[in-house]
Amino acid sequence: MSRRSGILEFAVLGLLREAPMHGYELRKRLNTSLGIFRAFSYGTLYPCLKTLVANGRLIEEPGSAPEDALAASLAGRRAKIVYRLTAEGKEHFEELLSHTGPDSWEDEHFAARFAFFGQTEREVRMRVLEGRRSRLEERLEKMRASLARTRERLDDYTLELQRHGMESVEREVRWLNELIESERAGRDQRNPATGGSAQQDNTSGSSGGLPRHSGDGSAGGNTPRGAAPPDSSDDTAN
């Protein structure tokens, strides 16, 4: 399985864990709620769904009441198929959620992982965030070294593009620092010296794990479901 198809499978399982959906609704959620999939088409989604059904991770169900299905048939339209997560599919998704290897730190995969942080255990969230930060700090060092070597050979516009790429990475590192500190503060708050339970600390609830800024009450470093994290992918110096 390619990395990109693996990300799509992960996102499909995660969305269907929330509720059964038909293909059009799934594609809409992938496009609008998870912006990293805007370029995905039905031609990409449906083979993924069929594979998940064949693997026993999804089941297909009729999506309309019997009378609606009959009307659709008479009108020459097929009734919509609803995809539902199986117990095996739920177990597989939970295994994917617990994965914290290098793939989970890369640009597209991290965005998909972050979108489902509300279903992810706190310690796993911490490992993914810290891994992502380390990955970007490495990228930033490479960009700085490259810029130092080539600065004199670059025209003003190319130099400005390089600086823009560095600023994007620096911005995401600051955002990750805020998230990590908030996760740590939330963990400490859930584990007072008088004996907060470890089980409570590992819950997947998102409350207490996101930085909150005063004023508008919004999550300062939080990327809402579907919005991409601060863009560091315009790294032009790699």
Side-chain angles (χ1 to χ4, degrees):
M1 178 186 298
S2 70
R3 176 181 299 178
R4 197 163 177 80
S5 61
I7 299 170
L8 179 59
E9 177 182 304
F10 172 82
V12 166
L13 292 173
L15 290 174
L16 291 176
R17 190 187 187 192
E18 298 175 359
M21 301 180 202
H22 53 72
Y24 174 79
E25 187 178 5
L26 260 174
R27 182 171 181 260
K28 184 177 179 181
R29 290 288 304 278
L30 288 167
N31 288 349
T32 59
S33 298
L34 301 177
I36 59 172
F37 295 105
R38 288 193 183 97
F40 275 52
S41 65
Y42 283 113
T44 305
L45 175 59
Y46 279 101
C48 175
L49 291 171
K50 294 300 182 184
T51 298
L52 290 169
V53 170
N55 290 341
R57 291 166 182 162
L58 301 181
I59 57 173
E60 296 177 333
E61 298 177 340
S64 304
E67 58 271 19
D68 294 334
L70 177 60
S73 176
L74 292 174
R77 300 192 304 271
R78 294 188 301 172
K80 292 178 180 177
I81 295 173
V82 170
Y83 295 91
R84 182 184 297 273
L85 199 64
T86 64
E88 183 179 341
K90 181 178 180 181
E91 181 180 354
H92 181 61
F93 179 68
E94 289 172 352
E95 290 175 0
L96 294 176
L97 275 181
S98 67
H99 175 67
T100 59
D103 281 354
S104 65
W105 310 337
E106 299 302 326
D107 295 336
E108 287 188 344
H109 207 150
F110 173 74
R113 288 299 303 270
F114 189 83
F116 294 100
F117 262 22
Q119 303 180 44
T120 305
E121 290 187 354
R122 182 179 301 276
E123 294 305 317
V124 174
R125 292 198 301 257
M126 283 289 291
R127 289 196 294 271
V128 173
L129 289 171
E130 289 172 344
R132 174 65 174 174
R133 181 174 63 181
S134 295
R135 172 67 181 89
L136 290 183
E137 287 173 341
E138 293 172 2
R139 181 183 298 179
L140 192 57
E141 287 303 310
K142 291 179 181 178
M143 295 174 75
R144 287 169 175 161
S146 176
L147 185 59
R149 290 194 307 268
T150 61
R151 181 187 298 271
E152 294 182 358
R153 300 197 300 271
L154 300 177
D155 61 52
D156 290 344
Y157 294 102
T158 305
L159 183 60
E160 194 60 31
L161 183 62
Q162 299 279 8
R163 287 173 176 163
H164 172 67
M166 288 178 57
E167 289 171 359
S168 296
V169 178
E170 290 168 346
R171 184 167 60 250
E172 185 171 348
V173 170
R174 290 194 299 270
W175 176 72
L176 289 166
N177 285 335
E178 290 184 5
L179 287 172
I180 290 168
E181 289 306 311
S182 295
E183 290 284 353
R184 287 174 177 161
R187 178 184 59 195
D188 294 343
Q189 188 175 21
R190 282 168 162 73
N191 287 286
T194 54
S197 71
Q199 183 176 3
Q200 187 179 19
D201 177 55
N202 284 330
T203 58
S204 61
S206 58
S207 60
L210 293 172
R212 300 285 175 178
H213 288 186
S214 60
D216 61 2
S218 63
N222 176 26
T223 300
R225 169 66 60 84
D231 182 13
S232 62
S233 60
D234 53 357
D235 173 355
T236 57
N238 275 348

